[in-house]
């Protein structure tokens, strides 16, 4: 009996320690199975039992006894009384993020590893590890993002001068990589689809038209827009990418879109519904914001132009409101509240006055009173502006072009506008207050979150 062992009689024997350790190890496995076993988003690898004797020595063969699974693992989760020494040595040996569980162990391990430059997290109960793993899973999804960016003339679109330009830093810090292709090659791909691919576009168009509340676009023009989506999917597969952006303005200026009668709006909406971040106007700030938002909330978000509502833009029904902002674009989706939910009702309207260029529309009027979180990165890609707002009134369901959105009330327009001047004008948004989650994820990845 002494400072490292309590009890009396058989409780002081090694056999008793081994019995209790085995029992606790089984309890841990049962809890882990209950937490993660049926959740397909996580893969629970074979748990490993590591003994530690009174010498407090971590031998290489003991550390290696965790098996080959350790090389496949994204995270090491460790629970154990007085397990600090093992946890620290495991993290340093295998260079994996450590999640330490238990009283004293959790805080001691994380403080030690963080001070040494390692990634570490603590939970005082095993049951609380699930919430933390949700963030680590989002972080992994962000790190695995590969952007297919269509170029025309320049990397930066002239419609978004506040764009992120330091792609190397984003890749080095975040893990997000970029593949650039010429606009001409992408446009040619749309016109050179195989008969089978054209059939896919036709089926996509027919299904969308059949499910819409109303549609003012002809079947022929719906198919043309659906061809863009099919071509984008084909090129994403070819280049092994899972995010997309394209410069609308620069390609529109060639007049080729006018001649071939399609736009990119429907493509952005459908890709997001499949979990593929897809941003308008080669806006990398919005794309990065979308990548963060979609991995955190698993939704198919809307993005749009945003600015303080001007006097002539405020309807009589909202007269007297002083903190109104206006956000609008033509890339609504059916799963803005979550991709696992039920598809929302939608309409189909054209982008152009010539009634071509299909866009999905959503009636935001039905969500008046709902809270939302709007986000955008600054041009350096180091700070995320996250604003809380409440939808006041929707507009643009029956209109054309980039004019489907809503008016929302923010807490302080002056503070919000000053923050916007550091970030730019396109914003991605989601339902609910995600500011706390965004701040926590930012701490994990390495970006600052400014909440207004």
């Amino acid at each position: 009996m002494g400072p490292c062992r309590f009890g009396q009689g058989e409780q002081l024997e090694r056999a008793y320690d081994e019995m209790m350790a085995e029992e606790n190890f089984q309890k841990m496995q049962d809890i882990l199975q209950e937490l993660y076993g049926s959740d397909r988003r996580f893969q629970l690898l074979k748990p490993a039992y590591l003994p530690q004797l009174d010498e407090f020595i971590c031998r290489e063969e003991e550390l290696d006894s965790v098996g080959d699974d350790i090389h496949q693992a994204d995270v090491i989760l460790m629970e154990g009384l007085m397990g600090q020494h093992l946890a620290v040595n495991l993290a340093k040996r295998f260079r994996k993020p450590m999640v330490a569980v238990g009283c004293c162990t959790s805080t001691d391990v994380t403080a030690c590893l963080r001070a040494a430059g390692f990634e570490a997290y603590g939970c005082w109960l095993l049951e609380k590890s699930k919430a933390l793993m949700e963030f680590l899973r989002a972080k992994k999804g962000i790190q695995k993002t590969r952007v297919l960016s269509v170029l025309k003339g320049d990397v930066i679109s002239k419609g978004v001068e506040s764009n992120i330009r330091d792609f190397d830093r984003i890749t080095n810090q975040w893990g997000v990589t970029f593949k650039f292709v010429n606009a001409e090659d992408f446009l040619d791909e749309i016109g050179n689809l195989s008969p089978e691919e054209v059939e896919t576009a036709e089926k996509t168009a027919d299904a969308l038209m059949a499910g819409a509340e109303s549609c003012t676009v002809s079947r022929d023009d719906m198919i043309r827009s659906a061809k863009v989506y099919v071509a984008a999917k084909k090129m994403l597969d070819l280049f092994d990418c899972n995010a997309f952006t394209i410069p609308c303005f620069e390609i529109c200026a060639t007049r080729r879109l006018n001649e071939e009668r399609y736009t990119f709006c429907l493509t952005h909406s459908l890709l997001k519904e499949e979990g593929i971040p897809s941003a308008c106007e080669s806006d990398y700030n919005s794309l990065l914001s979308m990548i963060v938002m979609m991995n955190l909330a698993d939704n198919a978000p809307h993005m749009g132009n945003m600015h303080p509502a001007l006097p002539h833009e405020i309807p009589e029904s909202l007269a007297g409101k002083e903190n109104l902002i206006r956000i609008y674009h033509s890339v609504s989706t059916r799963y803005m509240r979550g991709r696992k939910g039920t598809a929302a009702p939608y309409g189909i309207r054209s982008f152009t006055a010539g009634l071509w260029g299909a866009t999905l529309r959503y009636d935001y009027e039905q969500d008046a009173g709902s809270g939302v979180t709007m986000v955008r990165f600054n041009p350096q890609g180091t700070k995320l502006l996250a604003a809380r707002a409440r939808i006041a009134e929707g507009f643009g369901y029956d209109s054309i072009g980039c004019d489907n959105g809503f008016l929302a009330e923010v807490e302080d327009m002056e503070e919000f506008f000053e923050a916007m001047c550091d970030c730019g004008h396109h914003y991605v948004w989601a339902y609910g207050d995600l500011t706390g989650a965004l701040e926590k994820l930012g701490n994990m990845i390495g970006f600052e979150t400014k909440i207004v």
Side-chain angles (χ1 to χ4, degrees):
M1 183 181 297
C4 62
R5 178 174 284 112
F6 303 94
Q8 57 187 348
E10 68 172 9
Q11 294 176 338
L12 301 179
E13 301 296 327
R14 174 171 170 171
Y16 182 84
D17 286 346
E18 291 176 342
M19 178 190 71
M20 291 304 300
E22 288 283 1
E23 183 178 311
N24 290 331
F25 183 56
Q26 186 58 54
K27 287 180 180 178
M28 182 192 77
Q29 292 183 78
D30 293 342
I31 295 174
L32 289 176
Q33 191 61 38
E34 183 178 346
L35 287 173
Y36 300 102
S38 61
D39 193 331
R40 297 180 63 184
R41 298 173 303 160
F42 300 93
Q43 182 183 3
L44 183 63
L45 302 176
K46 183 181 178 181
Y49 173 88
L50 275 70
Q52 180 173 264
L53 302 182
D54 290 347
E55 293 81 12
F56 301 106
I57 298 172
C58 293
R59 296 177 173 84
E60 288 296 311
E61 60 269 22
E62 292 173 349
L63 295 178
D64 286 334
S65 68
V66 295
D68 292 337
D69 277 357
I70 194 71
H71 301 293
Q72 303 174 33
D74 297 303
V75 180
I76 302 171
L77 186 149
M78 182 168 173
E79 182 186 45
L81 183 64
M82 291 297 294
Q84 297 101 303
H85 192 54
L86 275 173
V88 167
N89 278 273
L90 276 171
K92 291 182 176 180
R93 171 75 168 79
F94 296 106
R95 304 278 168 167
K96 300 280 186 176
M98 170 62 70
V99 175
V101 180
C103 176
C104 302
T105 298
S106 55
T107 52
D108 196 36
V109 169
T110 52
C112 172
L113 288 174
R114 289 176 181 179
F118 290 87
E119 186 176 358
Y121 308 93
C123 296
W124 68 85
L125 289 173
L126 197 57
E127 289 83 354
K128 290 186 174 292
S129 67
K130 185 68 174 289
L132 175 59
M133 292 299 176
E134 298 275 2
F135 283 98
L136 291 173
R137 183 179 180 275
K139 179 182 178 182
K140 179 183 178 181
I142 293 167
Q143 292 172 331
K144 297 292 184 181
T145 303
R146 301 172 299 278
V147 178
L148 178 64
S149 178
V150 179
L151 299 183
K152 180 61 181 175
D154 194 354
V155 177
I156 304 302
S157 172
K158 298 307 174 286
V160 191
E161 289 289 352
S162 60
N163 235 318
I164 291 171
R165 288 167 163 80
D166 190 352
F167 299 105
D168 283 343
R169 193 193 64 78
I170 298 299
T171 298
N172 294 337
Q173 179 179 335
W174 294 52
V176 177
T177 58
F178 299 84
K179 173 65 179 177
F180 300 98
V181 298
N182 292 325
E184 288 75 16
D185 294 336
F186 178 72
L187 298 175
D188 289 344
E189 196 66 56
I190 301 170
N192 294 327
L193 295 177
S194 69
E196 294 77 16
E197 291 163 342
V198 172
E199 183 179 1
T200 298
E202 291 171 348
K203 290 180 178 179
T204 300
D206 289 339
L208 287 169
M209 294 179 75
E213 294 178 317
S214 60
C215 177
T216 61
V217 179
S218 70
R219 182 175 183 270
D220 178 65
D221 283 318
M222 276 297 300
I223 293 171
R224 288 175 184 269
S225 291
K227 284 181 178 180
V228 181
Y229 160 72
V230 172
K233 286 277 289 180
K234 183 178 181 179
M235 295 198 78
L236 284 164
D237 290 340
L238 175 64
F239 292 107
D240 192 29
C241 290
N242 53 16
F244 182 73
T245 190
I246 191 166
C248 315
F249 293 158
E250 285 77 2
I251 295 178
C252 179
T254 68
R255 307 201 177 199
R256 187 165 173 179
L257 299 187
N258 186 74
E259 295 167 2
E260 300 179 19
R261 293 173 67 91
Y262 52 70
T263 58
F264 310 123
C265 312
L266 183 66
T267 295
H268 293 310
S269 294
L270 296 182
L271 289 179
K272 288 183 293 184
E273 291 186 351
E274 294 183 21
I276 300 172
S278 188
C280 312
E281 301 175 43
S282 289
D283 188 341
Y284 301 102
N285 308 45
S286 289
L287 184 63
L288 203 60
S289 303
M290 195 179 295
I291 290 167
V292 168
M293 184 75 78
M294 291 177 70
N295 277 283
L296 190 62
D298 193 21
N299 64 341
H302 180 253
M303 69 167 281
N305 303 313
M306 189 166 71
H307 63 83
L310 302 176
H312 70 275
E313 295 173 328
I314 300 175
E316 290 186 7
S317 57
L318 299 178
K321 298 283 187 181
E322 297 181 349
N323 294 303
L324 291 174
I325 58 96
R326 194 172 189 266
I327 184 167
Y328 51 95
H329 243 194
S330 57
V331 287
S332 298
T333 78
R334 296 167 292 180
Y335 298 95
M336 291 180 290
R337 289 188 179 272
R339 294 195 309 112
K340 291 187 176 69
T342 304
Y346 65 98
I348 300 174
R349 299 291 182 271
S350 67
F351 185 86
T352 70
L355 302 182
W356 52 267
T359 71
L360 297 187
R361 318 296 278 200
Y362 179 77
D363 184 6
Y364 294 101
E365 184 65 27
Q366 61 192 309
D367 293 339
S370 295
V372 297
T373 303
M374 300 171 291
V375 297
R376 179 178 174 82
F377 275 97
N378 64 353
Q380 296 87 352
T382 57
K383 181 186 293 185
L384 181 73
L385 172 60
R388 291 178 288 240
R390 192 162 298 279
I391 296 177
E393 188 169 304
F395 60 82
Y397 181 79
D398 290 320
S399 63
I400 63 173
C402 279
D403 195 33
N404 185 202
F406 54 83
L407 289 155
E409 190 170 9
V410 297
E411 295 176 10
D412 187 323
M413 177 59 72
E414 293 294 335
E415 180 185 4
F416 182 36
F417 181 72
E418 285 301 317
M420 286 180 66
C421 288
D422 288 331
C423 295
H425 75 98
H426 279 147
Y427 284 75
V428 178
W429 63 270
Y431 291 96
D433 184 354
L434 299 180
T435 54
L438 289 165
E439 191 170 33
K440 184 169 184 175
L441 187 61
N443 291 335
M444 289 183 170
I445 294 175
F447 62 81
E448 179 185 350
T449 304
K450 180 178 176 59
I451 301 172
V452 297

